[in-house]
């Protein structure tokens, strides 16, 4: 009988306790932390990197009638300043080129992370289901299924941005075409109503995107993994199952939202300790550098970027290490809720006990070999 979303919480907690605490293994915790990062299963309210102040580029200042960064103004010679417009054009072109290179690098890194995320969703599912985490074996086992899920994520990402452009861009274009922005006083009431409707539409859109993502990672991944389906066939299978119990799946999503909020608060508090461990050395390094009279130049900026990046990566990993219980609990919650509706998954989660081997009947022992009775002793001769 299918269990409810509420009844799935306790088995998921028990599952987490057995996998992580019954026999504590630091190696498994460390691997699950990495899997949680790449599978985007961190339930922390946010890890902010503070601004230590004084080290960021300042707002461009006015120099000789033109806006020019102060650092660039100090570098330019008097002859260069006499030809500021040409140099401004040159530096603007370089700046635009750097922006384009940065955008391209960001897109490439985002696609790489999206592919890793797709594969590690399956590794996380398998690690929680089997209660054993092996990244190398999981990669070899699930990279093909992860590739199919990566295609789904690409399709969904492109569809999301196109839909957002349509639902937000179309009303804005109609407002401009109707002339609402030319005279705000005459159309103030229409603008207020339009903004309220646009915000409502945006909230509904974000809610729909969030629900689809939750259904995909909680239920589509198990179907694709256990039946070796592509994402289109997996969605048809999943939607058919949801259609039979729309209310229970809706309650599952609502309860998961409540649990995610509670976990976010709890593990954000727990993440304060690793955050302090990482950020205090960073603050000490900045203060020591200033005390030593170090200025900002190409070398110090490069070192600051490298050092800051390493500290950020360390902070993310330590936060993920603290959040491992949440990383295991939420997939376990989805598995226990879905297994009662999906016999293939239930057979792996609750395997039937192996019947004991039948006892073989005792082998009859063969009678001992015939032995002749001993001869009576011979009579002693008389005399």
């Amino acid at each position: 009988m299918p269990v409810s979303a509420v009844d799935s919480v306790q088995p998921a907690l028990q599952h987490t306790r057995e996998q992580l605490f019954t026999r504590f293994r630091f190696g498994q915790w460390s691997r699950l932390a990495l899997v949680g990062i790449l599978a985007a299963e961190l339930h922390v309210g946010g890890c902010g990197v503070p601004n230590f102040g004084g080290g960021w580029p300042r707002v461009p200042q006015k120099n000789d009638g033109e806006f020019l960064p102060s650092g660039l103004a100090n570098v330019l010679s008097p002859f260069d300043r006499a030809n500021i417009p040409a140099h401004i054009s040159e530096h603007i072109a370089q700046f635009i080129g750097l922006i384009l290179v940065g955008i391209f690098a960001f897109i490439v890194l985002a696609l790489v992370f999206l592919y890793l995320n797709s594969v590690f969703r399956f590794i996380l599912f398998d690690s929680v289901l089997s209660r054993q985490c092996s990244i190398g074996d999981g990669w070899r086992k699930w990279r093909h299924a992860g590739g199919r899920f990566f295609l789904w994520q690409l399709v969904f990402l492109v569809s999301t941005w196109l839909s957002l452009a349509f639902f937000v861009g179309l009303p804005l274009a109609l407002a401009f075409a109707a002339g609402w922005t030319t005279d705000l006083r005459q159309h103030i009431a229409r603008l207020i109503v339009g903004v309220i409707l646009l915000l409502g539409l945006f909230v509904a859109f974000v809610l729909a995107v969030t629900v689809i993502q939750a259904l995909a990672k909680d239920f589509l991944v198990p179907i694709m993994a256990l039946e070796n389906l592509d994402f289109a066939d997996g969605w048809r299978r999943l939607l058919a199952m949801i259609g039979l119990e729309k209310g229970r799946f809706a309650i599952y999503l609502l309860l998961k939202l409540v649990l995610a909020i509670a976990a976010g608060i709890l593990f954000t508090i727990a993440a304060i300790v690793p955050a302090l461990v990482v950020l205090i050395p960073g603050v000490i390094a900045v203060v020591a550098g200033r005390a030593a009279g170090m200025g900002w130049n190409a070398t110090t900026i490069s070192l600051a970027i490298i050092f800051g990046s390493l500290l950020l990566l360390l902070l993310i990993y330590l936060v993920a290490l603290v959040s491992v219980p949440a990383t295991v609990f939420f997939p376990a919650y989805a598995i226990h809720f879905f297994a009662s509706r999906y016999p293939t998954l239930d057979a792996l989660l609750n395997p039937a006990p192996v019947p004991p081997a039948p006892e073989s009947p005792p082998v009859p022992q063969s009678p001992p070999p015939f032995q002749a009775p001993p001869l009576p002793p011979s009579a002693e001769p008389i005399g």
Side-chain angles (χ1 to χ4, degrees), residues 157-170:
L157 184 63
V158 173
S159 302
T160 299
W161 283 108
L162 291 178
S163 301
L164 183 62
F166 176 78
F167 287 119
V168 176
L170 182 61

Side-chain angles (χ1 to χ4, degrees), residues 257-272:
L257 175 62
V258 174
L259 293 173
I261 293 173
I265 296 173
L266 175 63
F267 288 100
T268 298
I269 296 173
I272 293 176

Side-chain angles (χ1 to χ4, degrees), residues 308-319:
S309 300
L310 292 176
L311 284 181
L312 179 61
L313 292 176
L314 179 60
L315 175 61
I316 293 174
Y317 181 76
L318 291 179
V319 169

Side-chain angles (χ1 to χ4, degrees), residues 164-353:
L164 183 62
F166 176 78
F167 287 119
V168 176
L170 182 61
L172 292 178
L174 292 176
F176 279 109
W180 291 7
T181 58
T182 57
D183 191 352
L184 297 179
R185 292 182 179 180
Q186 292 184 359
H187 305 285
I188 187 67
R190 296 177 181 177
L191 286 173
I192 292 175
V193 174
V195 169
I196 294 175
L197 292 177
L198 189 61
L199 287 177
L201 185 62
F202 180 75
V203 170
F205 176 79
V206 171
L207 181 61
V209 169
T210 304
V211 168
I212 293 172
Q213 287 180 326
L215 293 176
K217 72 177 186 178
D218 288 353
F219 307 130
L220 179 62
V221 165
I223 292 176
M224 293 178 63
L226 300 182
E227 299 189 31
N228 197 25
L229 299 176
D230 59 20
F231 68 86
D233 293 333
W235 270 115
R236 281 193 288 268
R237 183 103 160 82
L238 176 59
L239 291 176
M241 299 171 68
I242 294 176
L244 300 175
E245 296 182 274
K246 298 184 183 70
R248 290 197 171 188
F249 276 91
I251 294 174
Y252 165 84
L253 293 173
L254 291 174
L255 183 56
K256 183 177 180 180
L257 175 62
V258 174
L259 293 173
I261 293 173
I265 296 173
L266 175 63
F267 288 100
T268 298
I269 296 173
I272 293 176
V273 175
L276 293 176
V277 170
V278 173
L279 295 179
I280 288 177
V283 174
I284 293 175
V286 172
V287 173
R290 287 184 175 180
M294 295 178 61
W296 289 107
N297 51 45
T299 302
T300 56
I301 291 175
S302 301
L303 290 175
I305 292 174
I306 295 173
F307 184 65
S309 300
L310 292 176
L311 284 181
L312 179 61
L313 292 176
L314 179 60
L315 175 61
I316 293 174
Y317 181 76
L318 291 179
V319 169
L321 199 64
V322 172
S323 305
V324 164
T327 301
V328 173
F329 168 76
F330 283 95
Y333 176 53
I335 288 173
H336 281 272
F337 175 80
F338 197 45
S340 61
R341 296 158 173 83
Y342 189 24
T344 306
L345 178 60
D346 184 63
L348 296 175
L349 181 64
N350 303 302

